[in-house]
Amino acid sequence: MRLRKLACVAAGVTLLLAGGCTGGEKEGARESRTPPTSGSPTTKSPSPVDPVSLPAHIRREHHGSGLRLGTVLARTNAYTSYAVTYESDGLTISGLMNIPEGEGPFPALVLAHGYIDPAVYTTGRGLAREQDRLAREGYVVLHTDYRNHARSDKDPDNDVNLRLGYTEDVIGAALALRSSGRPEIDGERLGLLGRSMGGGVVYNTLVVAPGLFDAAVAFAPVSARPEENIDHFQRGRGDPIAAELDARHGTPEENPEFWRNVSPLTFVDRVTEPLLIHHGTADDTCPLAWTRHTVAAFEAAGKDVELRTYAGEGHTFGPRWPESMNATTAFFERHLR
């Protein structure tokens, strides 16, 4: 078993945050795997930070535990699918877990879905193709519903807190897998995959909890600059949350420090995991330019990042989805097996 790289995470302790080309473009340089520290020792108490910020979540100790299997949702010749719950920072979060047939322990993947209106969302909705494919490849797959979705507990402030709670729920899922004690799960081999809004959750998780996962994949991710997402998805569509965000936190022009502190690009130096990103050139939901900007920032910081673009593919991927998943499974095979 390969050694774990635990940057700011300890095995029994916890952590945290958010919200496809024919081949790989340029692959970022691989850096030394020496993990960064979460801060230099000091004799003084740390200065207070805005609780709605990445620095606040970096400083917090987070908890994930109590993974429980419930109703069997489906049985196939390759895996059994269960409704599950787990505890994440005091909330009960629901989700779906596929457990492969055969003798474990199996490496595990946490899946972070894109935006679906919580009013219509049902457990496991959003990444059904990926859940099936990755379980058939021999991974335990835990698809988190996030807070405010399906049977999860409610967090009424989540939207005005820039949906940072979703990253808490992803980190809680990983910690719950690691502490579950279930013989099917190898909690020392963990990967993360997110699509669209879930891609933004991936970015945030990598900077808040370096070392918790071994590798991460993002499909058609949102911008790593939250103000762009708000302008594109909320302000431009008359969503009242945009006005509430302005009132609470100020606009980017009025309060640039706040917006810097909620962008993972500000803290990209903390990232220790390899990252693979898939993006279609015809994506009119999350522009490819957003991802190019993010990749440039990762590369400038010397991080291990690879972008694969897919000519003609839109946001949800169609004909070339199998190609993107072949690359994804090969990537996880390199880093988790």
Side-chain angles (χ1 to χ4, degrees), residues 159-171:
D159 281 346
V160 294
N161 289 345
L162 295 173
R163 299 176 183 160
L164 296 181
Y166 297 162
T167 303
E168 295 183 30
D169 300 336
V170 162
I171 292 174

Side-chain angles (χ1 to χ4, degrees), residues 197-214:
M197 180 186 71
V201 175
V202 167
Y203 295 155
N204 287 334
T205 300
L206 294 181
V207 304
V208 170
L212 181 59
F213 291 96
D214 294 284

